[in-house]
Amino acid sequence: MPRWRSFVSRYLRWSNPVAQALALSAVTFCVVLPLCCHRLLYSYYFIRSVYLDSMSEEVLRESLDRGQDALRFWQSAASSSGAASAGPPAFAGADRRPELLVTVVTSRRDQGSDFHYLLQVMRRLSGLLGGCGERRCAEVLVCDVESGSLENQDARLLEDHFRVIRRSPEEQRRNRDAVNTFEREKRDYVFCLRKGWELFRPRNVVVLEDDALPKEDFFQVVRDLLSRRFSLHTLYVKLYHPERLQRYCNPEPYRILEWVGLGLVAATALLLLASSCWSPRCLSFTPSAGHLLFFTVYFMAASELLGRHYFLEARRLSPQLYAVSPATECCTPAMLFPGNSSLRVAEYLDGSFCAKGKAKDTVLYRLARATPGERSHSVEPNLISHIGAYSSVRLNPARPKLL
């Protein structure tokens, strides 16, 4: 008998586990996953050429509608407050030393102004604060860092409802020296950190950029994070990391452990189920070392190709399920500073000069790693959606894309 026939008859019979493993892998990775995942944005099977443009346009349209709704909401609220202008402003009863201060950093956008990102964020925060009950979840501060000749109209619209701070004329004169975009952005961030502390002396601080839209469970998760022991010894907690960078195949060691652990748990569960429920005539997998290794690799490959982002979303079932891990480098649209760490962050940033390739997120990440005694963390899944398709500090494409 020819060698190839001997090989086929020995290894590729259906009763042989090798043939079953090859068939299972082919069906899973070449049929099932492509059919199920070709429209999932963060999956390897996502067909960019077919779906990216339409999905990007749909997200832009939804954001535009949300922005226009927020504009009408705040205009109506401003009219109502104008009719009752004899009373104190809505923020007049703010706590001097609140448990949590949320500072929203904003500036005027030359492009994408119709999206009204700031108004979207503040409407969401207003709704979340309204659901806190008698005890306020947080005090909110809007930090308008616009330094151009045109004012930030969205920030002006919010003045009757939230405290809005700006640089004084003297501070603006001191800040007019010619610096690059990254250094100016860092200085604005430091200004907002310090002003928030001076005005409120909060126990904890969250800083949001004006295109960071909080999720519905934002305050519940922040409260849970602050109750965990690690928060007593951390410089900051990142509340957002770009979804496209959340894959297992990224240079984050803890993700490798998570990845292998997922594969082992899923493989063990499947083999135990197979040994008790499946007929050996149908599938011949048993709880052996070789089969355990195969299914570990099988589930690791499947989870990576499907997309780690979608597994993380399952953690939204409860605030206690949110994972805390060592901080990643990019990016800073939403940051939690426990205790008085916001002052230390301001000092650290003040001592560094930012430039291209050395933006404030990179500087802060490196400082936290290099400074003895300092630690930094990230939380997953994200606590905000980054809705800013148009940047206020960088060049923008004609029609932004999701990827």
Side-chain angles (χ1 to χ4, degrees), residues 151-360:
E151 71 173 4
N152 186 344
Q153 293 289 343
D154 286 352
R156 183 69 66 185
L157 186 60
L158 296 168
E159 288 183 340
D160 288 335
H161 307 279
F162 301 97
R163 185 158 192 169
V164 180
I165 59 170
R166 300 177 179 87
R167 285 186 173 94
S168 66
E170 181 181 348
E171 288 171 325
Q172 288 188 0
R173 282 194 298 271
R174 290 203 304 265
N175 199 50
R176 277 180 182 167
D177 53 324
V179 293
N180 64 73
T181 300
F182 301 95
E183 174 64 14
R184 185 170 66 251
E185 185 181 19
K186 182 214 74 175
R187 293 184 184 183
D188 292 341
Y189 202 82
V190 170
F191 167 77
C192 294
L193 284 174
R194 285 182 169 152
K195 281 296 181 181
W197 179 265
E198 290 174 11
L199 290 171
F200 288 94
R201 293 290 195 275
R203 293 180 175 87
N204 306 284
V205 178
V206 166
V207 178
L208 302 177
E209 296 178 5
D210 61 3
D211 54 4
L213 187 69
K215 299 287 188 180
E216 293 294 338
D217 58 353
F218 181 82
F219 285 118
Q220 294 96 307
V221 178
V222 168
R223 191 182 305 119
D224 181 77
L225 292 174
L226 291 172
S227 70
R228 300 188 195 182
R229 184 175 297 179
F230 85 94
S231 67
L232 300 174
H233 311 288
T234 189
L235 181 64
Y236 63 84
V237 183
K238 290 183 55 179
L239 307 180
Y240 172 82
H241 191 61
E243 290 85 354
R244 60 186 170 79
L245 301 179
Q246 288 180 341
R247 291 172 169 168
Y248 289 112
C249 291
N250 269 305
E252 306 294 342
Y254 73 91
R255 290 188 194 171
I256 303 300
L257 296 175
E258 176 191 328
W259 194 18
V260 174
L262 174 65
L264 279 171
V265 169
T268 303
L270 182 67
L271 289 173
L272 291 176
L273 182 67
S275 64
S276 60
C277 300
W278 294 349
S279 168
R281 296 177 183 177
C282 179
L283 290 173
S284 12
F285 295 115
T286 59
S288 64
H291 294 171
L292 179 64
L293 177 61
F294 163 73
F295 276 111
T296 298
V297 175
Y298 169 84
F299 282 114
M300 287 174 64
S303 61
E304 174 68 359
L305 292 171
L306 191 154
R308 180 172 176 264
H309 165 75
Y310 302 104
F311 290 95
L312 290 174
E313 289 299 299
R315 292 181 176 271
R316 296 195 189 279
L317 290 171
S318 169
Q320 287 74 33
L321 294 178
Y322 279 70
V324 175
S325 54
T328 49
E329 184 170 345
C330 171
C331 307
T332 56
M335 303 281 282
L336 168 63
F337 302 103
N340 66 352
S341 64
S342 60
L343 291 180
R344 302 206 306 276
V345 167
E347 290 295 330
Y348 291 149
L349 289 176
D350 239 358
S352 302
F353 188 84
C354 292
K356 187 175 181 179
K358 193 183 174 185
K360 70 178 188 298

Side-chain angles (χ1 to χ4, degrees), residues 361-377:
D361 54 352
T362 302
V363 168
L364 196 53
Y365 174 77
R366 292 175 180 173
L367 282 170
R369 289 170 64 90
T371 306
E374 296 289 16
R375 300 177 183 177
S376 56
H377 296 84

Side-chain angles (χ1 to χ4, degrees), residues 86-102:
F91 56 81
D95 290 343
R96 170 62 178 167
R97 187 163 166 74
E99 186 68 29
L100 179 65
L101 172 67
V102 178

Side-chain angles (χ1 to χ4, degrees), residues 5-18:
R5 287 191 178 181
S6 174
F7 176 83
V8 169
S9 64
R10 182 177 179 183
Y11 292 104
L12 299 186
R13 290 176 299 173
W14 180 248
S15 60
N16 191 293
V18 174

